[in-house]
Amino acid sequence: MINSNKTVLVTGGSGGIGQAIVAAFGREGYNVAINYFTNEKGAIDASKSVTGGGAFGIYQCDVGDMTQVLKMKEQIERDLGEVDVLVCNSGIEYFGLFHLAKEEETERLYKTNLFGAVNCARAFLPPMINKKSGSIIMNASICGEMGFSCEVDYSVTKAGLIGLTKALSREVAPSGVRVNCVSPGFIATPMTAHFSEEALSSIKEEVPLGRIGKSEDISEAVLYLASDKASYVTGTVLSVNGGWY
Ligand code: NAI
C-alpha cells in the first residue's frame, strides 16, 4: 500500500506489455487507470492484477483523438484523482515495404503511436506542473533507436517518441516533472505473435542474452522510472533489449 495516494494511467493497458505494467503498479498499491481501445476483455483481465490495495478504473479511448483523451482525463480525475504517472504505452505496428503502405494505414500508425503520446502528455501535464511533481514514461522501441527495414514508419513514430522524451524533459524539468522512455527489444506479446518459430529462433540467436523478452522485463523498467529511485533520471532512453543493439 506504499503508493495508494498515487494514480497512474496506463494507455493500452489491455495489451501484452500494458497488462504487465498495470500489474506492476497495481501490486505496488497505485490507483490504476487502465485505458483500452477495442479490447475491453484485456482491460478487465488486467484490472484483476490490481492487488496492492489501490483502486482501478477502465477507460475506452482512442488516444489519437484529443477530444476523447480530454474526456478520459475528466473521467479519471472524477474516479481516481489527478494522474501522477502517465505511461504512454499504446501502439500498433505496420510491417511491409515503405513505398507500398496505404495512406490510411500510415495515418493511423502516426496518430496512434506518436500523436497518441503527444495528446496524452499535453492533456495530463498541466496538473503535474501545478503540483510540481509527476512522471511521464513513453514506450518507444529498439526500432526507434536503430531503424528497422520493413518497419520504417513504425521506426519513425518510435524515434519521434525518443525526441519527444528528450525535448519535453528539458522543458518541464524546472516544473518538477520527469519524462523518460523505455525502449524494448523483441517482446513476446499479441503484437509479435505472428512471427514464425523460425524467425523467433533467428532473433534469439542475435540477442546476446539469448532469449526473447517478457512483458515483465519492460514493466519493471517502467516502474523503476516512475519511482523515487529514479528521482535524478530524466530525458533518458532505457533500452531493455537483452543487448540486441
Ligand atoms: P499489444 O498489441 O498487445 O498492445 C497494444 C495496446 O495498444 C493495446 O492495449 C491496444 O488497445 C492499444 N491501442 C492500440 N491502438 C490504440 C488507440 N488508438 N488508442 C488507445 N490504445 C490503443 O502490443 P504490445 O507488444 O503490448 O505493445 C505495447 C507497446 O510496446 C506498443 O507501443 C509497442 O509499439 C511497444 N513495443 C512492443 C514491442 C514488442 O516486441 N512487443 C517492442 C518494442 C515496443
Side-chain angles (χ1 to χ4, degrees), residues 6-220:
K6 283 199 174 172
T7 295
V8 59
L9 164 60
V10 183
T11 72
S14 59
I17 294 174
Q19 285 193 342
I21 297 172
V22 168
F25 282 92
R27 180 189 77 212
E28 296 296 325
Y30 281 76
N31 302 316
V32 190
I34 305 165
N35 157 253
Y36 73 97
F37 182 38
T38 53
N39 180 8
E40 186 178 18
K41 182 182 177 303
I44 293 170
D45 289 347
S47 71
K48 294 178 186 149
S49 66
V50 181
T51 53
F56 69 84
I58 293 176
Y59 305 90
Q60 195 283 329
C61 166
D62 177 354
V63 293
D65 179 336
M66 187 56 154
T67 309
Q68 292 187 34
V69 169
L70 290 172
K71 192 168 152 222
M72 173 170 72
K73 176 173 179 270
E74 261 180 45
Q75 292 166 336
I76 295 172
E77 288 179 352
R78 187 194 58 211
D79 299 344
L80 303 173
E82 286 174 347
V83 166
D84 303 283
V85 177
L86 166 66
V87 184
C88 296
N89 165 72
S90 291
I92 53 175
E93 71 155 1
Y94 172 79
F95 198 84
L97 290 173
F98 176 70
H99 67 283
L100 296 182
K102 295 198 177 71
E103 196 181 339
E104 320 82 79
E105 288 168 338
T106 311
E107 259 180 30
R108 200 162 83 82
L109 188 72
Y110 282 78
K111 255 188 123 171
T112 306
N113 293 8
L114 190 51
F115 285 107
V118 168
N119 289 342
C120 289
R122 196 165 273 142
F124 287 91
L125 253 175
M128 294 184 185
I129 291 172
N130 285 342
K131 282 194 278 193
K132 287 209 160 285
S133 157
S135 172
I136 299 178
I137 297 135
M138 311 289 174
N139 193 346
S141 166
I142 189 171
C143 295
E145 293 179 86
M146 296 182 61
F148 275 25
S149 139
C150 292
E151 294 182 273
V152 174
D153 287 301
Y154 179 81
S155 299
V156 174
T157 64
K158 295 300 186 174
L161 292 183
I162 292 172
L164 174 63
T165 299
K166 289 184 179 291
L168 187 60
S169 65
R170 286 181 186 269
E171 183 168 306
V172 298
S175 304
V177 180
R178 296 183 300 107
V179 186
N180 290 291
C181 69
V182 279
S183 180
F186 190 97
I187 311 297
T189 70
M191 184 180 274
T192 51
H194 61 91
F195 280 77
S196 66
E197 278 304 319
E198 200 188 348
L200 291 179
S201 331
S202 79
I203 292 169
K204 267 190 230 165
E205 269 172 34
E206 282 179 38
V207 174
L209 285 179
R211 69 168 173 87
I212 298 296
K214 296 177 294 203
S215 292
E216 291 70 23
D217 294 320
I218 308 306
S219 56
E220 292 304 315

